[in-house]
Amino acid sequence: MRRAVLGVGRAAAWRIRAGAESGQQRQRSPPLSPVPAPPPPAFRFVSRPGPAGSESETVEQSPPQSPGPGKAGDAPNRRSGHVRGARVLSPPGRRAHLSSPGPSSSSEAREELRRRLRELIERSRVMIFSKSYCPHSTRVKELFSSLGVECNVLELDQVDDGAKIQEVLSEITNQKTVPNVFVNKVHVGGCDQTFQAYQSGLLQKLLEEESAYDYDLIIVGGGSGGLSCAKEAAILGKKVMVLDFVVPSPQGTSWGLGGTCVNVGCIPKKLMHQAALLGQALCDSRKFGWEYDQQVKHNWETMTKAIQNHISSLNWGYRLSLREKAVAYVNSYGEFVEHHKIKATNKKGQETYYTAAQFVIATGERPRYLGIQGDKEYCITSDDLFSLPYCPGKTLVVGASYVALECAGFLAGFGLDVTVMVRSILLRGFDQEMAEKVGSYMEQHGVKFLRKFIPVMIQQLEKGSPGKLKVLAKSTEGTETIEGVYNTVLLAIGRDSCTRKIGLEKIGVKINEKSGKIPVNDVEQTSVPYVYAVGDILEGRPELTPVAIQSGKLLARRLFGASLEKCDYINVPTTVFTPLEYGCCGLAEEKAIEVYKKENLEIYHTLFWPLEWTVAGRENNTCYAKIICNKLDHDRVIGFHILGPNAGEVTQGFAAAMKCGLTKQLLDDTIGIHPTCGEVGNRRF
């Protein structure tokens, strides 16, 4: 039921769509998969006589075992610092928690802390439990620094759970003092024992024991998620390799380090979108008093050269960053050949083999093709568009994904003749009211839409840059066929995960056979305990660059640091950079109705007119925003959607508010910044 519209005009007033008054509770996060039990520790503690008046503990090694799954550590989620060459898990001056809320029983919590401490010890070449003010701890850290040995240090006086940690360490080692030193899983003891081991040569012998593997971690894929994970693992003192190889597109396009986002995704897309917005700004500028007589036109070659130069600088920056962190970067194609072993094949066909204790798959996705005559021979994808050496001319965009509409939008903004061929709906997975408004705006600004058609054949009529292509398409609802002639056909019908040709079946990593995506648990662990995955290849997770970066970073901290923090995939904001931008966070209206039932929702919405558009004479009642609220949870905002200029910038702030439990009343109580598009969320709902 729609309630009455209150005063539609220059800045249309808010409206409400409402249902009845009964319903269900607020949405809960989906149940998380349990973390598998850790492998048994590779050591046991044995009492040894120490110096007169003291007692120490040493360790006898158990038979070697295959490394088990990486686990969350249990020191604070902090970026490591350095103290005289040591890796510090709790930077000075900052308090942190070692453990997150866990089992309700105190005995269970204590056992969990004990398990996590052992995992931290097992993952560290040198692990020192210390106190920052303790002179004996300082002596030990200086000893390892003088030996050129980097060690992990947990300053117990700088973590909130320090006393509990020391109690559990005392139970494990029978040592109540700090420093408490472990080398390659062997408990050396305190300050005196460590120096005695050094003087006898035992410490040096322990330090010389090498890992059974070439690397602590090998990451397959040099995109946003893989690089984030690699750099964080290196910061935590681990030996890391990144394998990255871009298989050229059917049109021969390849690129450098950085993955899809940097090279053929977010970065060039946003820059071309900006180029189109500048064209619109030129038109608007006359109304604001700018006078110019010369003919203004867009130069494709100038734009692409500038964008590619910027991307090249980013590629170089990533390589430099890896080098600075001592991450080995190998430009080769990675393929598993057996457990813990991978084959790297370079562009010359030369093969090299590497082993690692743990692996992260971050291979991303590549554009899908139609599987019809002429598609790979004559069509391009987003892999090719951003470095295309010539203006594409009259263009057919096949698909209705965000990639399709974004590309169609900026191409039309350059003054090109653009048609979008849509199989079914626009922006599948997004709010459909917003999607149709996006399409309507694009259509009003020159983009043509062919609805309910799919191509069945592509023929080349003329070669050239661009040439001419004939496209034969058929209706999805009948027998009707149509033909059209275009200079360029851009396919944007979805993306396929790059997981089928990297040997995952040889080591038992399960994938979704239909989609190629990898199922993982709540700590990004695959069906094989020592193999993890991040980024767009994850099943059921948002395919967004910031998500990959966050999950990769947190994964490294759990594997090699002391963090327990998991990536939060709920209420992740995003923006579709169409000519009129669409930003959203939370649930689409259709999904909210499915989860909560219509009668439990209150939907507030409004049309608005940006001040910048008024003098320029651009359309009123075109920009639009709505929030979806759960009536049974104090009108909690479970969906935010806005269509207007700078929608991404606006959405980012509302996303943070939703993380904090934003309600309709809190929105009403917030004073907006005037005059902005962002204030629509405070003033008009």
Side-chain angles (χ1 to χ4, degrees):
M1 178 180 70
R2 285 184 182 267
R3 294 183 183 173
V5 177
L6 304 181
V8 175
R10 177 173 174 180
W14 56 267
R15 297 175 289 166
I16 303 178
R17 293 206 302 263
E21 295 299 324
S22 64
Q24 66 187 54
Q25 296 298 316
R26 180 185 180 194
Q27 181 189 20
R28 301 294 181 190
S29 300
L32 300 177
S33 304
V35 179
F43 56 90
R44 60 191 179 92
F45 295 93
V46 183
S47 296
R48 302 289 189 198
S54 70
E55 187 176 290
S56 66
E57 295 284 333
T58 59
V59 176
E60 289 186 352
Q61 296 281 27
S62 298
Q65 297 183 13
S66 176
K71 301 295 179 194
D74 52 333
N77 176 26
R78 303 294 188 201
R79 186 175 291 272
S80 300
H82 290 276
V83 176
R84 297 182 182 269
R87 190 72 65 180
V88 183
L89 300 180
S90 51
R94 299 174 70 178
R95 301 295 296 179
H97 289 279
L98 183 71
S99 56
S100 59
S104 56
S105 162
S106 60
S107 61
E108 289 178 352
R110 199 174 187 85
E111 187 57 36
E112 177 71 2
L113 180 58
R114 179 191 298 267
R115 181 182 69 81
R116 290 170 178 168
L117 284 172
R118 281 178 169 162
E119 288 170 357
L120 186 59
I121 293 164
E122 288 178 8
R123 294 197 188 107
S124 303
R125 184 186 182 197
V126 176
M127 185 70 221
I128 302 175
F129 296 92
S130 167
K131 289 184 180 178
S132 60
Y133 56 80
C134 172
H136 303 295
S137 297
T138 300
R139 284 187 64 207
V140 166
K141 286 180 281 189
E142 289 177 344
L143 171 63
F144 284 104
S145 177
S146 69
L147 296 173
V149 175
E150 192 171 84
C151 46
N152 285 346
V153 179
L154 183 62
E155 303 288 8
L156 299 184
D157 59 313
Q158 294 179 355
V159 294
D160 290 338
D161 300 323
K164 291 181 181 177
I165 296 169
Q166 195 160 2
E167 286 179 15
V168 174
L169 279 173
S170 176
E171 294 172 3
I172 293 173
T173 66
N174 199 29
Q175 177 185 325
K176 298 180 180 180
T177 59
V178 293
N180 206 329
V181 181
F182 294 81
V183 177
N184 281 328
K185 306 176 188 177
V186 175
H187 181 234
V188 177
C191 179
D192 290 345
Q193 292 89 343
T194 301
F195 274 88
Q196 288 171 7
Y198 170 63
Q199 291 163 3
S200 68
L202 175 61
L203 182 64
Q204 294 87 324
K205 185 177 179 180
L206 287 173
L207 288 169
E208 287 172 1
E209 291 184 5
E210 295 184 0
S211 167
Y213 303 109
D214 300 327
Y215 290 89
D216 297 309
L217 177 68
I218 290 179
I219 295 171
V220 187
S224 301
L227 292 179
S228 172
C229 187
K231 289 185 284 189
E232 195 69 21
I235 287 171
L236 292 168
K238 297 305 170 182
K239 188 178 181 183
V240 183
M241 170 182 278
V242 171
L243 287 174
D244 183 60
F245 186 86
V246 179
V247 177
S249 75
Q251 297 300 323
T253 308
S254 188
W255 51 85
L257 183 64
T260 295
C261 172
V262 168
N263 295 281
V264 290
C266 315
I267 299 300
K269 175 271 300 289
K270 180 69 181 294
L271 291 173
M272 288 194 175
H273 172 63
Q274 174 65 13
L277 293 181
L278 289 172
Q280 179 64 59
L282 279 172
C283 297
D284 292 350
S285 69
R286 292 186 184 275
K287 294 288 185 69
F288 285 89
W290 289 97
E291 298 176 358
Y292 50 89
D293 298 324
Q294 65 269 34
Q295 179 67 33
V296 179
K297 63 178 183 179
H298 182 261
N299 187 297
W300 176 272
E301 290 79 6
T302 299
M303 175 189 67
T304 53
K305 181 179 179 180
I307 290 174
Q308 290 304 312
N309 285 342
H310 176 66
I311 290 172
S312 294
S313 72
L314 296 177
N315 298 149
W316 172 249
Y318 284 124
R319 295 191 67 167
L320 185 62
S321 178
L322 292 182
R323 186 183 306 166
E324 289 173 345
K325 293 175 175 59
V327 175
Y329 164 60
V330 178
N331 184 207
S332 295
Y333 187 89
E335 180 182 356
F336 288 95
V337 291
E338 60 184 67
H339 282 289
H340 293 282
K341 189 174 185 179
I342 197 165
K343 177 176 70 176
T345 307
N346 66 19
K347 60 183 178 181
K348 296 180 180 179
Q350 297 169 332
E351 298 176 354
T352 309
Y353 295 85
Y354 302 99
T355 61
Q358 299 186 85
F359 290 83
V360 172
I361 310 302
T363 47
E365 298 182 313
R366 297 293 290 274
R368 186 176 303 147
Y369 283 80
L370 290 163
I372 63 173
Q373 180 183 331
D375 62 346
K376 290 187 177 180
E377 294 87 348
Y378 308 124
C379 299
I380 66 171
T381 68
S382 56
D383 278 359
D384 312 293
L385 178 64
F386 302 112
S387 58
L388 199 66
Y390 54 83
C391 180
K394 183 180 180 181
T395 302
L396 173 68
V397 179
V398 181
S401 63
Y402 71 91
V403 175
L405 297 190
E406 288 174 339
C407 292
F410 64 66
L411 291 175
F414 302 149
L416 303 182
D417 183 332
V418 180
T419 302
V420 179
M421 185 175 287
V422 183
R423 179 176 63 88
S424 54
I425 62 174
L426 303 180
L427 298 177
R428 183 178 301 278
F430 289 86
D431 187 283
Q432 283 303 291
E433 180 183 25
M434 306 302 290
E436 285 302 317
K437 286 182 178 293
V438 167
S440 176
Y441 183 89
M442 292 178 66
E443 203 159 15
Q444 291 170 20
H445 288 76
V447 177
K448 297 183 284 290
F449 284 83
L450 284 173
R451 301 253 186 172
K452 308 294 183 181
F453 277 91
I454 56 172
V456 292
M457 185 174 64
I458 315 289
Q459 290 181 323
Q460 187 180 62
L461 300 179
E462 294 180 12
K463 293 183 179 180
S465 301
K468 284 189 178 179
L469 302 173
K470 183 171 78 171
V471 180
L472 177 65
K474 70 174 183 179
S475 170
T476 60
E477 297 182 333
T479 59
E480 181 185 2
T481 61
I482 57 173
E483 289 184 358
V485 178
Y486 304 90
N487 298 118
T488 300
V489 176
L490 171 66
L491 303 182
I493 56 173
R495 300 173 67 81
D496 292 321
S497 298
C498 301
T499 57
R500 300 186 189 276
K501 297 181 180 180
I502 58 173
L504 295 181
E505 71 284 355
K506 295 176 184 175
I507 59 172
V509 174
K510 294 179 181 178
I511 66 171
N512 183 312
E513 291 301 329
K514 182 178 180 181
S515 67
K517 289 187 176 289
I518 301 178
V520 295
N521 61 16
D522 62 320
V523 290
E524 287 78 51
Q525 189 178 46
T526 71
S527 57
V528 173
Y530 65 87
V531 180
Y532 296 78
V534 296
D536 292 356
I537 57 173
L538 298 190
E539 186 173 57
R541 306 289 166 82
E543 298 178 14
L544 297 167
T545 296
V547 171
I549 292 172
Q550 178 79 341
S551 61
K553 177 176 62 178
L554 295 180
L555 172 59
R557 289 179 180 177
R558 291 194 307 272
L559 289 178
F560 304 119
S563 173
L564 303 176
E565 186 179 357
K566 302 171 186 176
C567 187
D568 184 357
Y569 295 98
I570 305 300
N571 286 342
V572 176
T574 191
T575 294
V576 182
F577 290 98
T578 38
L580 191 58
E581 297 176 9
Y582 164 36
C584 60
C585 182
L587 300 181
E589 185 173 340
E590 295 81 6
K591 185 65 176 179
I593 291 172
E594 176 188 327
V595 173
Y596 294 105
K597 307 304 178 186
K598 188 173 183 179
E599 61 269 20
N600 300 323
L601 303 176
E602 198 88 83
I603 300 174
Y604 301 83
H605 58 156
T606 181
L607 293 161
F608 63 98
W609 197 13
L611 180 64
E612 302 93 316
W613 287 23
T614 55
V615 172
R618 296 175 67 179
E619 305 93 327
N620 188 8
N621 290 343
T622 298
C623 298
Y624 179 73
K626 71 176 177 181
I627 56 172
I628 304 164
C629 301
N630 179 7
K631 292 194 295 187
L632 299 183
D633 187 20
H634 309 287
D635 265 352
R636 187 85 55 199
V637 178
I638 58 173
F640 172 84
H641 304 266
I642 185 167
L643 185 65
N646 303 304
E649 310 299 333
V650 174
T651 304
Q652 184 69 62
F654 281 91
M658 288 176 66
K659 284 286 187 185
C660 297
L662 181 67
T663 64
K664 175 61 167 60
Q665 186 61 53
L666 286 171
L667 268 180
D668 292 342
D669 293 343
T670 302
I671 298 173
I673 301 171
H674 182 69
T676 65
C677 290
E679 71 175 319
V680 67
N682 308 116
R683 187 162 60 88
R684 295 199 182 99
F685 282 136

